[in-house]
Amino acid sequence: MTAALIAQPSFARTRDSLSVVDMLGRTVTLPRTPRRIVLLEGRDMLTMALFHPRPAELVVGWAAADRFDSDLLREGFEMSAGRPIAVVGKQAADTLSLEGILALEPDLVIASAFMAPGGNPQAAVDRLGQLGIPLVFSDASSNTASDAATWHPPRQTLPGLMRMWGGLLDAPVRAEEIVAFIETRFRALDRCLAGTERVKTFLEVMSLYDECCWAAGTRIWGELLSDAGGRSLDGLDAPWTARLSTEHLIAQEPKVYIATGGGYASAMRPAIGPGLDAQAGRGGLRRLIERTGFASLPAVREQRVHGIWTGLITVPLLNIVFVELAAKWLHPEACRELDPAATLAEINRRFLFQPLPGPLWANLTGADP
């Protein structure tokens, strides 16, 4: 996608059809607002909940529902559908069942580049197109460096993404309200970070009690950390995540450590996420820093240890909450006026038809952000 494309509205409607520009820059025309959707990234349901009061009623099938990283949310959407949501795959493209998708008779399939049927976005477009089923991509990211020339960070692509969803779900005005809200919050963030120096931060993509160490790469996680006035560890060039040795981490001397947790496999990682116990989340952070070598990190010695629910990164609208949180953790004086809890409350009140319960983050000390 070009910068010009990103800036343009991603929706147009005629009396008989609608067209959207998806996150691969493709213009997709549908005969009407879709009523039978298959989501190949199940967590896209939460984005749909910005635009539709009962999004599960539109979804006949999904894959990778575990990536909600919250049993509470996943089960809540399943119940609100009023019928079973068929499972057409797990967390990788090679688990998708084309036959299962076709059996549901969808009028739209929504995928990410990572979850394209067959592992090839263009081949998936061609195959489903031959069967008369339109395919829209909600995410262009993949864990390869091959598309670096056309890659754009989340902050740049978020307006187009919101307009795409607003077009698909017949809510273009709501999309513009969301875009305006996001831009206002980022302007406040930019003001507080003006003149600050970036803080080296260990942002751990997958925080496991018995493993070390999965550091954020250059894309998405690393870019959002940069938006917050931080910087990833030195020498990383992987797009999504890089595996480090404990010795490498210790040598980096990060000033702040941000771990991740959720409802999935919560016995192996911090239980931080919607409806989970806040004390359990902090207990998980304490277990993480008991790993070999962590006591020597400046971030741990100074108790600058925090945790987030992974949804703050993987659910696009919640990125602004993560960035505000991280900015306060990294620059507590310069960004003391930011209030990520208030930002989340406004998202719940104004935009989410099914509001998110907390806790969505945790601090080792138990203090507020």
CSV table of all heavy atoms in Angstrom, one decimal, residues 190-254:
chain,number,residue,atom,x,y,z
A,190,ASP,N,1.7,12.5,21.5
A,190,ASP,CA,2.9,13.2,20.9
A,190,ASP,C,3.3,14.4,21.7
A,190,ASP,O,4.5,14.7,21.8
A,190,ASP,CB,2.5,13.6,19.4
A,190,ASP,CG,2.4,12.4,18.5
A,190,ASP,OD1,2.8,11.3,18.9
A,190,ASP,OD2,1.7,12.5,17.5
A,191,ARG,N,2.4,15.1,22.2
A,191,ARG,CA,2.7,16.3,23.0
A,191,ARG,C,3.5,15.9,24.3
A,191,ARG,O,4.5,16.5,24.6
A,191,ARG,CB,1.5,17.1,23.4
A,191,ARG,CG,0.8,17.8,22.3
A,191,ARG,CD,-0.2,18.8,22.8
A,191,ARG,NE,-1.3,18.2,23.5
A,191,ARG,CZ,-2.5,17.8,22.9
A,191,ARG,NH1,-2.6,17.9,21.5
A,191,ARG,NH2,-3.4,17.2,23.5
A,192,CYS,N,3.1,14.9,25.0
A,192,CYS,CA,3.8,14.5,26.2
A,192,CYS,C,5.2,13.9,25.9
A,192,CYS,O,6.1,14.0,26.7
A,192,CYS,CB,3.0,13.6,27.1
A,192,CYS,SG,3.1,11.8,26.7
A,193,LEU,N,5.4,13.3,24.7
A,193,LEU,CA,6.6,12.7,24.4
A,193,LEU,C,7.6,13.6,23.8
A,193,LEU,O,8.8,13.3,23.6
A,193,LEU,CB,6.4,11.5,23.5
A,193,LEU,CG,5.7,10.3,24.1
A,193,LEU,CD1,5.5,9.2,23.1
A,193,LEU,CD2,6.6,9.7,25.3
A,194,ALA,N,7.2,14.8,23.4
A,194,ALA,CA,8.1,15.8,22.7
A,194,ALA,C,9.3,16.1,23.6
A,194,ALA,O,9.2,16.4,24.8
A,194,ALA,CB,7.3,17.1,22.5
A,195,GLY,N,10.5,15.9,23.0
A,195,GLY,CA,11.7,16.2,23.8
A,195,GLY,C,12.2,15.0,24.6
A,195,GLY,O,13.3,15.2,25.3
A,196,THR,N,11.5,13.9,24.7
A,196,THR,CA,12.0,12.8,25.6
A,196,THR,C,12.9,11.9,24.8
A,196,THR,O,13.0,11.9,23.6
A,196,THR,CB,10.8,12.0,26.1
A,196,THR,OG1,10.1,11.4,24.9
A,196,THR,CG2,9.8,12.8,26.9
A,197,GLU,N,13.7,11.2,25.5
A,197,GLU,CA,14.6,10.2,24.9
A,197,GLU,C,14.0,8.8,25.0
A,197,GLU,O,13.4,8.5,26.0
A,197,GLU,CB,16.0,10.2,25.6
A,197,GLU,CG,16.8,11.5,25.5
A,197,GLU,CD,18.1,11.4,26.1
A,197,GLU,OE1,18.5,10.3,26.6
A,197,GLU,OE2,18.8,12.4,26.1
A,198,ARG,N,14.2,8.0,24.0
A,198,ARG,CA,13.6,6.7,24.0
A,198,ARG,C,14.3,5.8,25.0
A,198,ARG,O,15.5,5.9,25.3
A,198,ARG,CB,13.8,6.0,22.6
A,198,ARG,CG,13.1,6.8,21.5
A,198,ARG,CD,13.0,6.0,20.2
A,198,ARG,NE,12.3,6.8,19.2
A,198,ARG,CZ,11.0,6.8,19.1
A,198,ARG,NH1,10.2,6.2,20.0
A,198,ARG,NH2,10.4,7.6,18.2
A,199,VAL,N,13.4,5.0,25.7
A,199,VAL,CA,13.9,4.1,26.8
A,199,VAL,C,14.0,2.7,26.3
A,199,VAL,O,13.0,2.1,25.7
A,199,VAL,CB,12.8,4.2,27.9
A,199,VAL,CG1,13.2,3.3,29.0
A,199,VAL,CG2,12.7,5.6,28.4
A,200,LYS,N,15.1,2.1,26.5
A,200,LYS,CA,15.3,0.7,26.0
A,200,LYS,C,14.4,-0.2,26.9
A,200,LYS,O,14.5,-0.2,28.1
A,200,LYS,CB,16.7,0.2,26.1
A,200,LYS,CG,17.0,-1.2,25.6
A,200,LYS,CD,18.3,-1.7,25.9
A,200,LYS,CE,19.4,-1.1,25.1
A,200,LYS,NZ,20.7,-1.8,25.2
A,201,THR,N,13.6,-1.0,26.2
A,201,THR,CA,12.5,-1.8,26.9
A,201,THR,C,12.5,-3.2,26.4
A,201,THR,O,12.6,-3.5,25.2
A,201,THR,CB,11.2,-1.1,26.6
A,201,THR,OG1,11.2,0.2,27.0
A,201,THR,CG2,10.0,-1.9,27.3
A,202,PHE,N,12.4,-4.1,27.3
A,202,PHE,CA,12.2,-5.5,27.0
A,202,PHE,C,10.7,-5.8,26.9
A,202,PHE,O,10.1,-5.9,28.0
A,202,PHE,CB,12.9,-6.5,28.0
A,202,PHE,CG,12.6,-7.9,27.8
A,202,PHE,CD1,12.5,-8.4,26.5
A,202,PHE,CD2,12.5,-8.8,28.8
A,202,PHE,CE1,12.2,-9.8,26.3
A,202,PHE,CE2,12.3,-10.2,28.6
A,202,PHE,CZ,12.1,-10.7,27.4
A,203,LEU,N,10.2,-5.7,25.7
A,203,LEU,CA,8.7,-6.1,25.5
A,203,LEU,C,8.7,-7.5,25.1
A,203,LEU,O,9.1,-7.9,24.0
A,203,LEU,CB,8.1,-5.2,24.4
A,203,LEU,CG,6.7,-5.4,24.0
A,203,LEU,CD1,5.7,-5.4,25.2
A,203,LEU,CD2,6.3,-4.4,22.9
A,204,GLU,N,8.2,-8.4,26.0
A,204,GLU,CA,8.2,-9.8,25.7
A,204,GLU,C,6.9,-10.3,25.1
A,204,GLU,O,5.8,-10.2,25.7
A,204,GLU,CB,8.5,-10.6,27.0
A,204,GLU,CG,8.8,-12.0,26.8
A,204,GLU,CD,9.3,-12.7,28.1
A,204,GLU,OE1,8.9,-12.3,29.2
A,204,GLU,OE2,10.1,-13.7,28.0
A,205,VAL,N,7.0,-10.7,23.9
A,205,VAL,CA,5.8,-11.1,23.1
A,205,VAL,C,5.1,-12.3,23.7
A,205,VAL,O,3.8,-12.4,23.8
A,205,VAL,CB,6.2,-11.4,21.7
A,205,VAL,CG1,5.0,-12.0,20.9
A,205,VAL,CG2,6.7,-10.1,21.0
A,206,MET,N,5.9,-13.3,24.2
A,206,MET,CA,5.3,-14.5,24.8
A,206,MET,C,6.0,-14.7,26.1
A,206,MET,O,7.2,-15.2,26.1
A,206,MET,CB,5.5,-15.7,23.8
A,206,MET,CG,4.9,-17.0,24.3
A,206,MET,SD,4.7,-18.2,23.0
A,206,MET,CE,6.4,-18.3,22.3
A,207,SER,N,5.4,-14.4,27.2
A,207,SER,CA,6.0,-14.5,28.5
A,207,SER,C,5.7,-15.8,29.2
A,207,SER,O,4.5,-16.0,29.7
A,207,SER,CB,5.6,-13.3,29.4
A,207,SER,OG,5.9,-12.1,28.8
A,208,LEU,N,6.6,-16.7,29.2
A,208,LEU,CA,6.4,-18.1,29.8
A,208,LEU,C,7.2,-18.3,31.0
A,208,LEU,O,8.4,-17.9,31.0
A,208,LEU,CB,6.7,-19.1,28.7
A,208,LEU,CG,5.9,-19.0,27.4
A,208,LEU,CD1,6.4,-20.0,26.4
A,208,LEU,CD2,4.4,-19.3,27.7
A,209,TYR,N,6.7,-18.9,32.0
A,209,TYR,CA,7.4,-19.1,33.2
A,209,TYR,C,8.6,-20.0,33.1
A,209,TYR,O,9.6,-19.8,33.8
A,209,TYR,CB,6.5,-19.7,34.3
A,209,TYR,CG,5.3,-18.9,34.7
A,209,TYR,CD1,4.0,-19.6,34.9
A,209,TYR,CD2,5.3,-17.5,34.8
A,209,TYR,CE1,2.9,-18.8,35.2
A,209,TYR,CE2,4.2,-16.8,35.1
A,209,TYR,CZ,3.0,-17.5,35.3
A,209,TYR,OH,1.9,-16.7,35.7
A,210,ASP,N,8.6,-20.9,32.1
A,210,ASP,CA,9.7,-21.8,32.0
A,210,ASP,C,10.6,-21.6,30.8
A,210,ASP,O,11.3,-22.5,30.4
A,210,ASP,CB,9.2,-23.3,32.1
A,210,ASP,CG,8.2,-23.6,31.0
A,210,ASP,OD1,7.8,-22.6,30.2
A,210,ASP,OD2,7.7,-24.8,30.9
A,211,GLU,N,10.4,-20.5,30.1
A,211,GLU,CA,11.2,-20.2,28.9
A,211,GLU,C,11.7,-18.7,28.9
A,211,GLU,O,11.1,-17.9,29.6
A,211,GLU,CB,10.4,-20.4,27.6
A,211,GLU,CG,10.2,-21.8,27.3
A,211,GLU,CD,9.6,-22.0,25.9
A,211,GLU,OE1,9.8,-21.1,25.0
A,211,GLU,OE2,8.9,-23.0,25.6
A,212,CYS,N,12.8,-18.5,28.2
A,212,CYS,CA,13.3,-17.1,28.0
A,212,CYS,C,14.0,-17.1,26.7
A,212,CYS,O,14.7,-18.1,26.4
A,212,CYS,CB,14.2,-16.7,29.1
A,212,CYS,SG,14.9,-15.0,29.0
A,213,CYS,N,13.9,-16.1,25.9
A,213,CYS,CA,13.1,-14.9,26.1
A,213,CYS,C,12.6,-14.5,24.7
A,213,CYS,O,13.4,-14.5,23.7
A,213,CYS,CB,14.0,-13.8,26.6
A,213,CYS,SG,14.8,-14.1,28.2
A,214,TRP,N,11.4,-14.2,24.5
A,214,TRP,CA,10.8,-13.9,23.2
A,214,TRP,C,10.5,-12.4,23.2
A,214,TRP,O,9.6,-11.9,23.7
A,214,TRP,CB,9.4,-14.6,23.0
A,214,TRP,CG,9.6,-16.1,23.0
A,214,TRP,CD1,9.5,-17.0,24.0
A,214,TRP,CD2,9.9,-16.9,21.8
A,214,TRP,NE1,9.7,-18.3,23.6
A,214,TRP,CE2,10.0,-18.3,22.2
A,214,TRP,CE3,10.1,-16.6,20.5
A,214,TRP,CZ2,10.3,-19.3,21.3
A,214,TRP,CZ3,10.4,-17.6,19.6
A,214,TRP,CH2,10.5,-18.9,20.0
A,215,ALA,N,11.5,-11.7,22.5
A,215,ALA,CA,11.4,-10.2,22.5
A,215,ALA,C,10.7,-9.8,21.2
A,215,ALA,O,10.7,-10.4,20.2
A,215,ALA,CB,12.9,-9.7,22.4
A,216,ALA,N,10.0,-8.6,21.4
A,216,ALA,CA,9.3,-8.0,20.3
A,216,ALA,C,10.3,-7.7,19.1
A,216,ALA,O,11.4,-7.2,19.4
A,216,ALA,CB,8.6,-6.7,20.7
A,217,GLY,N,9.8,-7.9,17.9
A,217,GLY,CA,10.6,-7.6,16.7
A,217,GLY,C,10.4,-6.2,16.3
A,217,GLY,O,10.0,-5.3,17.0
A,218,THR,N,10.6,-6.0,15.0
A,218,THR,CA,10.6,-4.7,14.4
A,218,THR,C,9.2,-4.2,14.0
A,218,THR,O,9.0,-3.0,13.9
A,218,THR,CB,11.4,-4.6,13.1
A,218,THR,OG1,11.0,-5.6,12.2
A,218,THR,CG2,12.9,-4.9,13.5
A,219,ARG,N,8.2,-5.1,13.8
A,219,ARG,CA,6.9,-4.7,13.4
A,219,ARG,C,5.9,-4.9,14.5
A,219,ARG,O,6.0,-5.7,15.4
A,219,ARG,CB,6.5,-5.6,12.2
A,219,ARG,CG,7.3,-5.3,10.9
A,219,ARG,CD,6.7,-6.0,9.8
A,219,ARG,NE,7.6,-5.9,8.6
A,219,ARG,CZ,7.4,-6.5,7.5
A,219,ARG,NH1,6.4,-7.4,7.4
A,219,ARG,NH2,8.2,-6.3,6.5
A,220,ILE,N,4.8,-4.1,14.3
A,220,ILE,CA,3.6,-4.1,15.2
A,220,ILE,C,4.0,-3.9,16.7
A,220,ILE,O,4.0,-2.7,17.1
A,220,ILE,CB,2.8,-5.4,15.1
A,220,ILE,CG1,2.4,-5.6,13.6
A,220,ILE,CG2,1.5,-5.3,15.9
A,220,ILE,CD1,1.6,-6.9,13.3
A,221,TRP,N,4.5,-4.9,17.4
A,221,TRP,CA,4.8,-4.7,18.8
A,221,TRP,C,5.9,-3.7,18.9
A,221,TRP,O,5.8,-2.8,19.7
A,221,TRP,CB,5.3,-6.1,19.4
A,221,TRP,CG,4.2,-7.1,19.4
A,221,TRP,CD1,3.7,-7.8,18.3
A,221,TRP,CD2,3.6,-7.7,20.5
A,221,TRP,NE1,2.8,-8.7,18.7
A,221,TRP,CE2,2.7,-8.7,20.1
A,221,TRP,CE3,3.7,-7.5,21.9
A,221,TRP,CZ2,1.9,-9.5,20.9
A,221,TRP,CZ3,3.0,-8.2,22.8
A,221,TRP,CH2,2.1,-9.2,22.3
A,222,GLY,N,7.0,-3.8,18.1
A,222,GLY,CA,8.1,-2.9,18.2
A,222,GLY,C,7.7,-1.5,17.8
A,222,GLY,O,8.2,-0.5,18.3
A,223,GLU,N,6.9,-1.4,16.8
A,223,GLU,CA,6.4,-0.1,16.3
A,223,GLU,C,5.5,0.6,17.3
A,223,GLU,O,5.6,1.8,17.5
A,223,GLU,CB,5.7,-0.3,15.0
A,223,GLU,CG,6.6,-0.6,13.8
A,223,GLU,CD,5.9,-1.2,12.6
A,223,GLU,OE1,4.8,-1.7,12.8
A,223,GLU,OE2,6.5,-1.2,11.5
A,224,LEU,N,4.7,-0.1,18.0
A,224,LEU,CA,3.8,0.5,19.0
A,224,LEU,C,4.6,0.9,20.2
A,224,LEU,O,4.4,1.9,20.8
A,224,LEU,CB,2.7,-0.5,19.4
A,224,LEU,CG,1.7,-0.8,18.3
A,224,LEU,CD1,0.7,-1.9,18.7
A,224,LEU,CD2,0.8,0.5,18.0
A,225,LEU,N,5.7,0.1,20.5
A,225,LEU,CA,6.6,0.5,21.6
A,225,LEU,C,7.3,1.8,21.2
A,225,LEU,O,7.4,2.7,22.1
A,225,LEU,CB,7.6,-0.6,21.8
A,225,LEU,CG,8.6,-0.3,22.9
A,225,LEU,CD1,8.0,-0.2,24.3
A,225,LEU,CD2,9.7,-1.5,23.0
A,226,SER,N,7.7,1.9,20.0
A,226,SER,CA,8.3,3.2,19.5
A,226,SER,C,7.3,4.4,19.6
A,226,SER,O,7.7,5.5,20.0
A,226,SER,CB,8.8,3.0,18.1
A,226,SER,OG,9.4,4.2,17.6
A,227,ASP,N,6.1,4.1,19.3
A,227,ASP,CA,5.1,5.2,19.4
A,227,ASP,C,5.0,5.7,20.9
A,227,ASP,O,4.6,6.8,21.1
A,227,ASP,CB,3.7,4.7,19.0
A,227,ASP,CG,3.6,4.5,17.5
A,227,ASP,OD1,4.3,5.2,16.7
A,227,ASP,OD2,2.7,3.7,17.0
A,228,ALA,N,5.3,4.8,21.8
A,228,ALA,CA,5.2,5.1,23.2
A,228,ALA,C,6.5,5.7,23.8
A,228,ALA,O,6.6,6.0,25.0
A,228,ALA,CB,4.8,3.9,24.0
A,229,GLY,N,7.4,6.0,22.9
A,229,GLY,CA,8.7,6.6,23.4
A,229,GLY,C,9.7,5.6,23.9
A,229,GLY,O,10.6,5.9,24.7
A,230,GLY,N,9.5,4.3,23.5
A,230,GLY,CA,10.5,3.3,23.8
A,230,GLY,C,11.3,2.8,22.6
A,230,GLY,O,11.1,3.3,21.5
A,231,ARG,N,12.2,1.9,22.9
A,231,ARG,CA,12.9,1.3,21.8
A,231,ARG,C,13.2,-0.2,22.2
A,231,ARG,O,13.4,-0.5,23.4
A,231,ARG,CB,14.2,2.0,21.4
A,231,ARG,CG,15.3,2.0,22.5
A,231,ARG,CD,16.5,2.8,22.0
A,231,ARG,NE,17.6,2.8,22.9
A,231,ARG,CZ,18.6,2.0,22.9
A,231,ARG,NH1,18.6,1.0,22.0
A,231,ARG,NH2,19.6,2.1,23.8
A,232,SER,N,13.1,-1.0,21.2
A,232,SER,CA,13.3,-2.5,21.4
A,232,SER,C,14.8,-2.7,21.7
A,232,SER,O,15.7,-1.8,21.6
A,232,SER,CB,12.9,-3.3,20.2
A,232,SER,OG,11.5,-3.1,20.0
A,233,LEU,N,15.1,-3.9,22.1
A,233,LEU,CA,16.5,-4.3,22.4
A,233,LEU,C,17.3,-4.2,21.1
A,233,LEU,O,16.8,-4.3,20.0
A,233,LEU,CB,16.5,-5.7,22.9
A,233,LEU,CG,15.7,-6.0,24.2
A,233,LEU,CD1,15.8,-7.4,24.6
A,233,LEU,CD2,16.0,-5.0,25.3
A,234,ASP,N,18.6,-4.0,21.3
A,234,ASP,CA,19.5,-3.8,20.2
A,234,ASP,C,19.7,-5.0,19.3
A,234,ASP,O,19.7,-6.2,19.8
A,234,ASP,CB,20.9,-3.3,20.7
A,234,ASP,CG,20.9,-2.0,21.5
A,234,ASP,OD1,20.0,-1.2,21.2
A,234,ASP,OD2,21.7,-1.9,22.4
A,235,GLY,N,19.9,-4.8,18.0
A,235,GLY,CA,20.3,-5.9,17.1
A,235,GLY,C,19.1,-6.8,16.7
A,235,GLY,O,19.4,-7.9,16.1
A,236,LEU,N,17.9,-6.4,16.9
A,236,LEU,CA,16.8,-7.3,16.5
A,236,LEU,C,16.3,-6.9,15.1
A,236,LEU,O,16.1,-5.7,14.8
A,236,LEU,CB,15.6,-7.2,17.5
A,236,LEU,CG,15.9,-7.5,19.0
A,236,LEU,CD1,14.6,-7.4,19.8
A,236,LEU,CD2,16.5,-8.9,19.1
A,237,ASP,N,16.1,-7.9,14.3
A,237,ASP,CA,15.6,-7.6,12.9
A,237,ASP,C,14.5,-8.5,12.5
A,237,ASP,O,14.0,-8.4,11.4
A,237,ASP,CB,16.8,-7.7,11.9
A,237,ASP,CG,17.4,-9.1,11.9
A,237,ASP,OD1,16.9,-10.0,12.6
A,237,ASP,OD2,18.5,-9.2,11.2
A,238,ALA,N,14.0,-9.4,13.4
A,238,ALA,CA,12.9,-10.2,13.1
A,238,ALA,C,11.6,-9.4,13.0
A,238,ALA,O,11.4,-8.4,13.8
A,238,ALA,CB,12.7,-11.3,14.1
A,239,PRO,N,10.7,-9.6,12.1
A,239,PRO,CA,9.5,-8.8,12.0
A,239,PRO,C,8.6,-8.9,13.2
A,239,PRO,O,8.1,-7.9,13.7
A,239,PRO,CB,8.8,-9.4,10.8
A,239,PRO,CG,9.8,-10.0,10.0
A,239,PRO,CD,10.8,-10.6,11.0
A,240,TRP,N,8.3,-10.1,13.8
A,240,TRP,CA,7.3,-10.2,14.9
A,240,TRP,C,8.0,-10.5,16.2
A,240,TRP,O,7.8,-9.8,17.1
A,240,TRP,CB,6.4,-11.4,14.6
A,240,TRP,CG,5.3,-11.0,13.6
A,240,TRP,CD1,5.1,-9.8,13.0
A,240,TRP,CD2,4.3,-11.9,13.1
A,240,TRP,NE1,4.0,-9.9,12.2
A,240,TRP,CE2,3.5,-11.1,12.2
A,240,TRP,CE3,4.0,-13.2,13.3
A,240,TRP,CZ2,2.4,-11.7,11.6
A,240,TRP,CZ3,2.9,-13.8,12.7
A,240,TRP,CH2,2.1,-13.0,11.8
A,241,THR,N,8.9,-11.5,16.3
A,241,THR,CA,9.5,-11.9,17.5
A,241,THR,C,10.8,-12.5,17.3
A,241,THR,O,11.0,-13.2,16.3
A,241,THR,CB,8.5,-12.8,18.3
A,241,THR,OG1,9.1,-13.1,19.6
A,241,THR,CG2,8.3,-14.1,17.6
A,242,ALA,N,11.7,-12.4,18.3
A,242,ALA,CA,13.0,-12.9,18.2
A,242,ALA,C,13.3,-13.7,19.5
A,242,ALA,O,13.1,-13.2,20.6
A,242,ALA,CB,14.1,-11.9,18.0
A,243,ARG,N,13.9,-14.9,19.4
A,243,ARG,CA,14.2,-15.7,20.6
A,243,ARG,C,15.6,-15.2,21.0
A,243,ARG,O,16.6,-15.3,20.3
A,243,ARG,CB,14.2,-17.1,20.3
A,243,ARG,CG,14.5,-18.1,21.5
A,243,ARG,CD,13.4,-18.1,22.4
A,243,ARG,NE,13.7,-18.9,23.6
A,243,ARG,CZ,13.5,-20.3,23.7
A,243,ARG,NH1,13.0,-20.9,22.6
A,243,ARG,NH2,13.7,-20.9,24.8
A,244,LEU,N,15.8,-14.8,22.3
A,244,LEU,CA,17.0,-14.4,22.8
A,244,LEU,C,17.5,-15.4,23.9
A,244,LEU,O,16.7,-16.0,24.6
A,244,LEU,CB,16.9,-13.0,23.5
A,244,LEU,CG,16.4,-11.9,22.6
A,244,LEU,CD1,16.3,-10.6,23.5
A,244,LEU,CD2,17.2,-11.7,21.4
A,245,SER,N,18.8,-15.5,24.1
A,245,SER,CA,19.3,-16.2,25.3
A,245,SER,C,19.2,-15.3,26.5
A,245,SER,O,19.1,-14.1,26.4
A,245,SER,CB,20.7,-16.6,25.0
A,245,SER,OG,21.6,-15.4,25.0
A,246,THR,N,19.2,-15.9,27.7
A,246,THR,CA,19.2,-15.1,28.9
A,246,THR,C,20.4,-14.2,29.0
A,246,THR,O,20.4,-13.1,29.4
A,246,THR,CB,19.2,-16.0,30.1
A,246,THR,OG1,18.0,-16.9,30.0
A,246,THR,CG2,19.1,-15.3,31.4
A,247,GLU,N,21.6,-14.7,28.5
A,247,GLU,CA,22.8,-13.9,28.5
A,247,GLU,C,22.7,-12.7,27.6
A,247,GLU,O,23.1,-11.6,28.0
A,247,GLU,CB,24.0,-14.8,28.0
A,247,GLU,CG,24.3,-16.0,29.0
A,247,GLU,CD,23.4,-17.1,28.9
A,247,GLU,OE1,22.6,-17.2,27.9
A,247,GLU,OE2,23.4,-17.9,29.9
A,248,HIS,N,22.1,-12.9,26.5
A,248,HIS,CA,21.9,-11.7,25.6
A,248,HIS,C,21.0,-10.7,26.3
A,248,HIS,O,21.2,-9.5,26.2
A,248,HIS,CB,21.2,-12.2,24.3
A,248,HIS,CG,21.2,-11.1,23.2
A,248,HIS,ND1,20.7,-11.4,21.9
A,248,HIS,CD2,21.5,-9.8,23.2
A,248,HIS,CE1,20.7,-10.3,21.2
A,248,HIS,NE2,21.2,-9.3,22.0
A,249,LEU,N,19.9,-11.1,26.9
A,249,LEU,CA,19.0,-10.2,27.6
A,249,LEU,C,19.7,-9.4,28.7
A,249,LEU,O,19.6,-8.2,28.8
A,249,LEU,CB,17.8,-11.0,28.1
A,249,LEU,CG,16.8,-10.1,29.0
A,249,LEU,CD1,16.2,-9.0,28.1
A,249,LEU,CD2,15.8,-11.0,29.6
A,250,ILE,N,20.5,-10.1,29.5
A,250,ILE,CA,21.2,-9.5,30.6
A,250,ILE,C,22.1,-8.4,30.1
A,250,ILE,O,22.3,-7.3,30.6
A,250,ILE,CB,21.9,-10.5,31.4
A,250,ILE,CG1,20.9,-11.5,32.2
A,250,ILE,CG2,22.9,-9.9,32.4
A,250,ILE,CD1,21.6,-12.7,32.8
A,251,ALA,N,22.8,-8.8,29.0
A,251,ALA,CA,23.8,-7.8,28.4
A,251,ALA,C,23.1,-6.6,27.9
A,251,ALA,O,23.7,-5.5,27.8
A,251,ALA,CB,24.6,-8.5,27.3
A,252,GLN,N,21.8,-6.6,27.5
A,252,GLN,CA,21.1,-5.5,27.0
A,252,GLN,C,20.7,-4.5,28.0
A,252,GLN,O,20.5,-3.3,27.7
A,252,GLN,CB,19.8,-6.0,26.3
A,252,GLN,CG,20.1,-6.8,25.0
A,252,GLN,CD,20.3,-5.9,23.8
A,252,GLN,OE1,19.7,-4.9,23.6
A,252,GLN,NE2,21.2,-6.3,23.0
A,253,GLU,N,20.6,-4.9,29.3
A,253,GLU,CA,20.3,-4.0,30.4
A,253,GLU,C,19.0,-3.1,30.1
A,253,GLU,O,19.1,-1.9,30.2
A,253,GLU,CB,21.5,-3.1,30.8
A,253,GLU,CG,22.7,-3.9,31.2
A,253,GLU,CD,23.7,-3.0,31.8
A,253,GLU,OE1,24.0,-1.9,31.2
A,253,GLU,OE2,24.4,-3.4,32.8
A,254,PRO,N,17.9,-3.7,29.8
A,254,PRO,CA,16.7,-2.9,29.6
A,254,PRO,C,16.3,-2.2,30.9
A,254,PRO,O,16.4,-2.7,32.0
A,254,PRO,CB,15.6,-4.0,29.2
A,254,PRO,CG,16.1,-5.2,29.8
A,254,PRO,CD,17.6,-5.2,29.8
